[in-house]
């Protein structure tokens, strides 16, 4: 009797669990730490969480950035660039429809670009559109964009979430009811809980899409993400918030773990505009005093790639400058003495909430104390960090990850929060903007990285990893993120 | 009775007016600019100014306060900065989670605590009393988030009887929605029940020492009969007070448990709105909570009056 019961029970459990797996084969549930704000329109808000839902799924641009960081045609089937780099002619894809059924054509392109570059536009990446002089639409499927000056990053910029194509009739409501041309259409947003998308049957390459339904759940707590994975409530956490728990999932055959790269350069930012950090010797001393390996080990459980300048190690123009200031406390002390601080100095370190900053900050403080720098740690909320550090520049040191792709150009912005000023660096950056030949551009990027390392503007720590924990049967998730995105177009379940 | 209610209603209105001013001033001095939080490290002076103007933040503070109060009077709570939908709509959605959760937790804790408390009082200084009080002591010492984690590990991760969290919504499947509230309600109810059981026990014991109970015993009632018929009814006043406090607390104080179960409740809405400086949500929800606390206290007062006629005349 008892045996029969056990047999029956195990059969029932088996039947139930296979039923559950069966039902999952064309749906996917992803967990995200943050909820998008404000709204779901990537053309008016810079938040990464907006892109992590909409990029490649709901909205598309003329070009797209693929998982290997390459610029690929999307709504534009092809393009040609004039020899002087000023005239871009786009041939648009035909038969593309928006989710509301209206057809996509050149008028939508003209509208979207002009809306983004307008003086009252809230687009966060105006640099993409700044070079545009005029936009012409010779016919329904051709767009000619004339630039004021050559812009080497123009096509790359058009691949960003900020440059997606929207329709004039629906653009104003995209924050709450996004209508794009992507493979998935917006179903609903249960605030505080989830966003649901479903397959758009009018998609132009419908056959490439395997999933019928995609749900993004908002789970801010790292422990809750772990439970949700273990209870099979979510199929994947693409940006897993708890590196210390990765080992547990690696040994569990039900899950796959990938560690890729983000565009997040994590730095110990120094206030270059005030003493003692206006002295390059002090900044170099700090670079020598920091042991990146120990920080990555302690704050990130070993996940993260050391960097020696403000540039992504995955980019072809990357130069490894991590050896420029090897860990050498004695050298650091000597440099401090040379700069007039033989007895060390005192400084504050403001730390925003992410664990990499809070945990990393403790280790940084301990390492700096070994060379005579007394650090007082001040944990701050994100809103306070933006207010004190970013806006009002009231800080000595802080730890932060700069997650925008290719944001080395921020070092050329006057009065940016860390206060770096170097005319030569600015020249290099504007030369990059003018260069249309990728090889020349890469050469200049290398020079720019080296300049930042020489000036030791900030202490460059590590590239933030993208740790994805997923059900072992889910395939096709992006491992690296060349820009904030969870493009699930090509995701499917292993048969 | 009518004069009593009127006095209380006037007091209620005055409290709310004062609360609105306090909430507004506190949010004014709180560092952090809502527009800056939205734009983050990509903020540029020009877009920042545009966004501030759009959110009405370029207006002077007294003007914004008056506009807010005028909106409240009309029943218009404004548009959330971060969600871009009316705040009223957000609050209603969150209450659809928080209210049933609170009611479920309070019912559970009451159903457990009052019988246990009375039983302990009846078995005063015997082993039944000691056992119940030992459990109550433990229940009070266990933080509810830890209990929540434990429940998730056992019933969601190991046994797979429940989801680890989330809320499917009432309209899709009421059964699943109710199921999603069971573990969180238990996590909230047990520590509350522990407190309530102790309060019930000591209130009943206090009453057992009163003259009217002695008189009842002298009439020939057994100890148990005196307890159930006379002491318990009078002991309900402190118990109601605690329940009122617990109800108000659970409305927004469940945030830690909501986080563990990633439930879209009211507590998490406020928590998230504070960190994102969605001030329009914060001030309205905080005021709403203040109003609820005041109203719950008002209801508790009325219940006192119902339980104890002496309180009606204010003597």
């Amino acid at each position: 009797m008892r045996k029969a019961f056990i047999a029956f029970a195990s059969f029932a459990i088996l039947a139930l669990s296979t039923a559950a797996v069966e039902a999952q084969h064309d749906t996917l549930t992803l967990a995200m730490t943050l909820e998008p704000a404000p709204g779901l329109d990537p053309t008016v808000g810079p938040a990464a969480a907006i892109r992590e839902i909409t990029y490649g799924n709901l909205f598309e641009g003329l070009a797209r950035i693929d998982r290997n960081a390459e610029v690929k045609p999307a709504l534009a089937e092809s393009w040609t660039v004039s020899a002087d780099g000023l005239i871009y002619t786009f041939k648009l894809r035909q038969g593309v429809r928006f989710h509301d059924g209206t057809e996509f054509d050149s008028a939508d392109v003209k509208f979207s670009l002009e809306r983004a570059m307008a003086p009252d536009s809230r687009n966060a990446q105006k640099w993409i559109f700044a070079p545009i002089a005029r936009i012409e639409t010779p016919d329904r499927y051709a767009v000619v964009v004339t630039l004021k000056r050559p812009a080497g990053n123009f096509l790359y910029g058009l691949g960003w979430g900020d440059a997606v194509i929207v329709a004039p009739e629906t653009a104003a409501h995209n924050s709450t009811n996004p209508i794009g041309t992507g493979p998935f259409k917006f179903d609903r947003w249960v605030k505080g809980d989830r966003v649901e998308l479903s397959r758009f049957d009018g998609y132009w390459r419908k056959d490439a899409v395997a999933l019928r339904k995609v749900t993004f759940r908002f789970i801010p707590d790292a422990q809750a993400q772990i439970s949700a994975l273990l209870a099979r409530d979510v199929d994947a956490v693409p940006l897993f918030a708890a590196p210390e728990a990765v080992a547990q999932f690696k040994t569990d055959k039900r899950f796959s773990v990938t560690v890729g790269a983000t565009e997040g350069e994590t730095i110990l930012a120094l206030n270059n505009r005030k003493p003692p950090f206006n002295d390059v010797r002090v900044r170099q001393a700090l670079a020598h005093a920091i042991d990146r390996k120990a920080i990555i080990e302690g704050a990130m459980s070993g996940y993260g790639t050391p960097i020696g300048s403000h540039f992504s190690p995955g980019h072809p123009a990357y130069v490894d400058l991590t050896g420029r200031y090897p860990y050498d406390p004695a050298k650091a002390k000597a440099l401090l003495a040379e700069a007039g601080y033989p007895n060390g100095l005192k400084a504050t370190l403001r730390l925003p909430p992410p664990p990499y900053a809070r945990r990393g900050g403790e280790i940084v403080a301990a390492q700096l104390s070994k060379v005579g720098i007394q650090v007082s740690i001040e944990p701050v909320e994100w809103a306070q960090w933006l207010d004190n550090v970013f806006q009002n520049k009231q800080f000595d040191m802080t730890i932060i990850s700069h997650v925008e792709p290719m944001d080395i150009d921020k070092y050329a912005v006057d009065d940016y929060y860390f206060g770096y000023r170097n005319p030569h660096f600015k020249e290099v950056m504007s030369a990059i903007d003018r260069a249309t030949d990728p090889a020349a551009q890469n050469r200049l990027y290398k020079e720019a990285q080296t300049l930042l390392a020489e000036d030791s503007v900030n202490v460059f720590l590590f590239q933030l990893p993208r740790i994805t924990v997923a059900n072992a049967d889910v395939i096709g998730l992006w491992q690296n993120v060349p820009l904030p995105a969870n493009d699930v177009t090509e995701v499917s379940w292993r048969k | 009775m009518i004069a009593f209610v009127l006095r209380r209603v006037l007091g209620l209105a005055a409290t709310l007016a004062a609360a609105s001013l306090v909430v507004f001033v506190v949010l004014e001095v709180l560092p952090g600019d809502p527009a800056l939080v939205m734009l983050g490290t990509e903020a540029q002076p020009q877009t920042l100014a545009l966004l501030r103007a759009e959110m009405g933040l370029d207006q002077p503070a007294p003007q914004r306060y008056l506009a807010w109060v005028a909106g409240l009077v009309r029943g218009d709570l404004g548009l959330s900065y971060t969600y871009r939908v009316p705040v009223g709509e957000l609050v209603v959605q969150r209450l659809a989670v928080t209210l049933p959760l609170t009611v479920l937790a309070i019912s559970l804790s009451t159903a457990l605590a009052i019988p246990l408390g009375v039983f302990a009082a009846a078995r005063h200084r015997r082993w039944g009393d000691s056992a119940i009080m030992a459990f109550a002591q433990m229940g009070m010492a266990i933080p509810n988030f830890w209990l929540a984690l434990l429940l998730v590990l056992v019933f969601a991760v190991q046994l797979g009887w429940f989801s680890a969290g989330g809320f499917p919504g009432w309209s899709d499947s009421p059964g699943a929605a109710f199921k999603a509230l069971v573990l969180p309600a238990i996590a909230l109810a047990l520590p509350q029940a522990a407190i309530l059981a102790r309060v019930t026990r000591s209130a009943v014991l206090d009453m057992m020492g009163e003259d009217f109970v002695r008189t009842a015993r002298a009439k020939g009632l057994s100890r148990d009969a005196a307890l159930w018929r006379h002491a318990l009814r009078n002991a309900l006043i402190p118990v109601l007070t605690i329940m009122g406090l617990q109800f108000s607390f659970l409305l927004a104080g469940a945030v830690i448990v909501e986080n563990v179960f990633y439930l879209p409740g009211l507590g998490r809405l406020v928590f998230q709105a504070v960190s994102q400086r969605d001030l329009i949500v914060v001030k309205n929800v905080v005021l709403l909570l203040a109003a609820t606390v005041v109203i719950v206290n008002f209801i508790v007062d009325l219940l006192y009056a119902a339980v104890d006629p002496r309180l009606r005349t204010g003597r």
Side-chain angles (χ1 to χ4, degrees):
Chain A
M1 184 62 203
R2 194 152 150 225
K3 266 187 189 162
F5 173 74
I6 291 171
F8 173 75
S10 33
F11 174 76
I13 290 168
L14 200 72
L16 279 173
S17 51
T18 44
V21 170
E22 222 42 74
Q24 271 177 344
H25 270 312
D26 56 357
T27 66
L28 185 75
T29 304
L30 299 177
M32 289 170 56
T33 303
L34 293 177
E35 194 164 356
L40 279 169
D41 185 349
T43 66
V44 297
I50 299 176
R51 284 143 185 73
E52 282 162 7
I53 291 177
T54 62
Y55 190 82
N57 299 328
L58 282 173
F59 291 112
E60 295 171 304
L62 290 176
R64 67 186 174 97
I65 313 287
D66 74 357
R67 60 178 82 208
N68 304 316
E70 281 168 36
V71 180
K72 290 279 171 63
L75 291 179
E77 212 170 72
S78 61
W79 50 71
T80 54
V81 187
S82 66
D84 58 1
L86 288 177
I87 300 169
Y88 285 72
T89 308
F90 296 94
K91 182 171 178 251
L92 303 187
R93 206 172 287 282
Q94 299 193 18
V96 173
R97 287 184 185 277
F98 283 97
H99 300 151
D100 63 354
T102 56
E103 226 175 296
F104 154 83
D105 62 20
S106 55
D108 298 312
V109 177
K110 186 174 161 72
F111 167 79
S112 302
L113 296 182
E114 281 176 349
R115 173 174 174 260
M117 61 196 275
D120 65 345
S121 145
R122 287 219 330 264
N123 197 297
Q125 308 296 344
K126 289 245 177 100
W127 63 266
I128 300 173
F129 316 98
I132 299 178
R134 60 178 182 277
I135 303 153
E136 286 148 312
T137 52
D139 70 60
R140 274 197 85 181
Y141 299 105
V143 176
V144 180
V145 179
T146 309
L147 304 188
K148 298 172 204 158
R149 54 181 164 81
N153 279 336
F154 185 60
L155 283 172
Y156 171 71
L158 288 182
W160 279 39
D162 308 81
V164 295
I165 303 302
V166 296
E169 314 84 70
T170 52
H173 307 290
N174 279 343
S175 283
T176 49
N177 183 27
I179 303 280
T181 59
F184 297 96
K185 61 182 170 47
F186 172 77
D187 281 347
R188 64 172 172 171
W189 180 357
V190 182
K191 309 287 187 304
D193 191 49
R194 64 193 186 275
V195 167
E196 294 173 355
L197 315 179
S198 62
R199 185 163 55 203
F200 171 47
D201 289 328
Y203 186 53
W204 54 273
R205 55 184 181 121
K206 196 179 137 201
D207 298 341
V209 187
L211 297 173
R212 185 176 49 83
K213 200 166 163 45
V214 184
T215 305
F216 294 88
R217 299 203 82 127
F218 310 118
I219 308 182
D221 185 65
Q223 182 58 45
Q225 289 181 356
I226 297 171
S227 307
L229 278 164
L230 290 174
R232 302 299 189 113
D233 285 358
V234 301
D235 302 314
V237 185
L239 209 54
F240 189 57
E244 66 279 7
V246 167
Q248 168 191 352
F249 286 103
K250 274 194 161 166
T251 54
D252 191 331
K253 284 206 168 56
R254 296 174 298 165
F255 299 95
S256 69
V257 178
T258 59
V259 180
T262 66
E263 287 294 314
E265 289 87 12
T266 311
I267 60 174
L268 173 66
L270 309 172
N271 195 342
N272 280 237
R273 58 174 74 66
K274 67 182 226 186
F277 304 108
N278 57 354
D279 188 328
V280 66
R281 290 168 299 188
V282 172
R283 300 197 301 265
Q284 291 175 334
L286 259 68
H288 278 301
I290 294 294
D291 178 7
R292 293 187 188 90
K293 272 224 173 72
I295 294 171
I296 294 170
E297 205 51 58
M300 301 297 299
S301 304
Y303 299 102
T305 312
I307 51 171
S309 186
H310 198 104
F311 213 72
S312 166
H315 194 278
Y318 175 73
V319 205
D320 185 356
L321 293 157
T322 50
R324 174 65 184 82
Y325 304 102
Y327 176 56
D328 186 348
K331 184 90 183 280
K333 274 188 186 160
L335 277 164
L336 282 177
E338 200 188 311
Y341 301 95
N343 304 317
L345 52 90
K346 284 185 182 171
T348 59
L349 175 59
R350 293 220 150 124
L351 300 174
Y356 67 75
R358 293 277 167 89
R359 293 180 196 161
E362 300 283 343
I363 304 167
V364 163
Q367 292 180 352
L368 292 182
S369 77
K370 284 191 189 149
V371 301
I373 300 174
Q374 276 184 52
V375 179
S376 63
I377 288 180
E378 291 177 9
V380 290
E381 261 190 299
W382 182 233
Q384 269 177 309
W385 186 90
L386 286 166
D387 208 68
N388 295 335
V389 177
F390 186 75
Q391 192 74 347
N392 295 316
K393 290 103 180 171
Q394 292 161 346
F395 75 107
D396 294 337
M397 306 186 286
T398 187
I399 294 180
I400 187 74
S401 200
H402 283 255
V403 295
E404 292 294 334
M406 304 301 282
D407 50 11
I408 190 172
D409 58 354
K410 289 286 192 303
Y411 288 77
V413 174
D414 280 329
D415 220 29
Y416 201 59
Y417 76 98
F418 41 69
Y420 177 58
R421 262 165 195 267
N422 180 347
H424 182 42
F425 181 83
K426 280 181 134 176
E427 277 166 31
V428 175
M429 290 319 288
S430 62
I432 290 174
D433 198 24
R434 288 191 308 269
T436 43
D437 165 33
Q441 235 182 14
N442 285 353
R443 224 169 21 249
L444 289 162
Y445 270 129
K446 285 181 179 164
E447 189 183 344
Q449 292 169 61
T450 313
L451 280 174
L452 295 186
E454 282 310 315
D455 282 339
S456 189
V457 185
N458 297 310
V459 181
F460 305 101
L461 301 175
F462 58 88
Q463 199 73 10
L464 212 59
R466 169 161 168 119
I467 303 172
T468 302
V469 181
N471 186 309
D473 289 330
V474 174
I475 45 178
L477 288 167
W478 284 22
Q479 182 172 351
N480 301 312
V481 275
L483 77 181
N486 285 316
D487 185 340
V488 293
T489 313
E490 291 163 2
V491 173
S492 62
W493 286 83
R494 191 170 278 127
K495 291 285 177 320
Chain B
M1 188 70 187
I2 291 172
F4 170 82
V5 172
L6 265 182
R7 263 203 321 275
R8 289 301 165 124
V9 168
L10 273 181
L12 203 147
T15 312
L16 286 184
S20 75
L21 197 63
V22 171
V23 169
F24 188 83
V25 170
V26 167
L27 292 188
E28 276 304 299
V29 296
L30 181 75
D33 172 359
L36 186 59
V37 174
M38 260 178 222
L39 295 175
T41 53
E42 296 303 295
Q44 281 149 27
Q46 202 192 353
T47 36
L48 204 54
L50 276 167
L51 190 57
R52 276 212 192 97
E54 194 187 302
M55 302 192 328
L57 290 171
D58 51 347
Q59 307 281 325
Q63 209 166 316
R64 279 184 284 129
Y65 176 70
L66 290 179
W68 174 45
V69 174
L72 283 179
V73 172
R74 285 197 313 271
D76 171 16
L77 303 186
L79 217 60
S80 153
Y81 295 156
T82 50
Y83 285 124
R84 304 279 150 143
V85 295
V87 176
E89 200 177 289
L90 279 179
V91 170
V92 169
Q93 286 169 0
R94 299 304 177 103
L95 281 178
V97 179
T98 293
L99 269 187
L101 177 61
T102 306
V103 170
L104 195 60
I106 287 277
S107 317
L108 256 174
S109 90
T110 312
L112 265 175
I114 294 188
L116 285 178
V118 175
F119 180 80
R123 294 279 175 282
H124 187 40
R125 298 214 178 122
R126 276 184 272 168
W127 75 266
D129 179 28
S130 317
I132 289 170
M133 284 307 107
F135 273 111
Q137 194 68 46
M138 223 160 71
M140 279 163 66
I142 292 175
N144 56 15
F145 77 88
W146 186 83
L147 185 60
L149 283 175
L150 202 69
L151 290 172
V152 169
L153 275 181
V154 174
F155 294 102
V157 173
Q158 292 300 330
L159 297 172
W161 293 353
F162 292 90
S163 298
F167 188 72
W170 293 105
S171 53
D172 289 10
S173 73
F178 179 80
K179 202 175 157 197
L181 296 181
V182 171
L183 292 184
I186 294 174
L188 289 171
L190 288 187
Q192 306 272 35
I195 297 170
L196 207 57
R198 284 183 71 102
V199 172
T200 309
R201 171 182 174 271
S202 63
V204 171
L205 284 177
D206 280 354
M207 287 302 151
M208 290 301 282
E210 291 284 324
D211 290 346
F212 65 87
V213 175
R214 201 176 317 147
T215 311
R217 293 289 307 269
K219 273 192 330 189
L221 279 185
S222 72
R223 190 184 140 89
D224 279 358
L227 187 151
W228 287 104
R229 264 190 241 165
H230 295 280
L232 179 58
R233 176 161 177 179
N234 286 285
L236 281 181
I237 290 200
V239 172
L240 279 174
T241 311
I242 299 292
M243 279 174 65
L245 287 174
Q246 291 187 339
F247 188 85
S248 310
F249 165 78
L250 284 179
L251 282 182
V255 56
I256 297 175
V257 168
E258 283 173 11
N259 249 340
V260 174
F261 291 100
Y262 46 102
L263 284 176
L266 202 57
R268 241 180 85 201
L269 177 69
V270 182
F271 184 77
Q272 190 177 319
V274 169
S275 67
Q276 294 184 335
R277 295 296 186 269
D278 194 340
L279 300 184
I280 200 154
V281 169
V282 179
K283 63 188 179 189
N284 283 308
V285 177
V286 170
L287 192 64
L288 192 86
L289 289 171
T292 315
V293 171
V294 175
I295 291 167
V296 168
N297 282 347
F298 173 69
I299 294 171
V300 170
D301 279 353
L302 290 184
L303 287 175
Y304 284 169
V307 174
D308 186 347
R310 281 171 303 174
L311 293 172
R312 278 176 222 166
T313 49
R315 262 180 281 147

